[in-house]
Amino acid sequence: MTETPDLDPEDRKIVTLARSARARNSVPEGAAVRDETGRTYVAGTVALDSLRLSALRTAVAMAVASGAKSLEAAAVVTESEAASEEDRAAVRDLGGPGTPVLVAGPDGTVRATVSAG
């Protein structure tokens, strides 16, 4: 469970899913996005010789591949202090500039919430 008690339950859920993906797969980042219907898509960092994707971009790609038309929110669990511009751009492409991106540390504490735009 995340250490951010004032977080909306649906946002807490995607942070928890992102944290679980990171831990389960032993990857640098875990991410989750929630689409316009409330479905969630969870991913970890992809690091193949021929393909490198951040966890957040992978989660957005999974949402698109599954037919999502928009995003309500995104979360990434990372050691980094912020979501990269490339990650926010992917969220923005599907969800629009106002889509919130929650950035949490490995312990699940949300450090920041920024807009994708």
Side-chain angles (χ1 to χ4, degrees):
M1 189 162 118
T2 65
E3 301 298 321
T4 311
D6 57 337
L7 204 57
D8 172 88
E10 291 300 313
D11 289 344
R12 184 177 300 120
K13 176 182 172 183
I14 61 172
V15 171
T16 299
L17 290 169
R19 185 176 180 213
S20 296
R22 180 181 183 270
R24 180 179 55 252
N25 298 316
S26 299
V27 291
E29 295 181 339
V33 298
R34 185 175 62 247
D35 74 8
E36 76 283 1
T37 68
R39 290 181 298 181
T40 56
Y41 306 88
V42 182
T45 307
V46 174
L48 301 172
D49 289 341
S50 63
L51 180 63
R52 299 217 176 257
L53 289 173
S54 71
L56 193 50
R57 283 180 272 169
T58 303
V60 170
M62 291 173 65
V64 170
S66 296
K69 303 295 183 214
S70 183
L71 294 179
E72 291 182 348
V76 60
V77 173
T78 180
E79 295 280 350
S80 297
E81 293 298 317
S84 72
E85 173 55 36
E86 294 86 0
D87 283 353
R88 289 186 297 113
V91 172
R92 183 174 55 245
D93 286 348
L94 186 57
T99 306
V101 178
L102 294 89
V103 181
D107 66 353
T109 301
V110 175
R111 295 184 192 136
T113 301
V114 298
S115 70

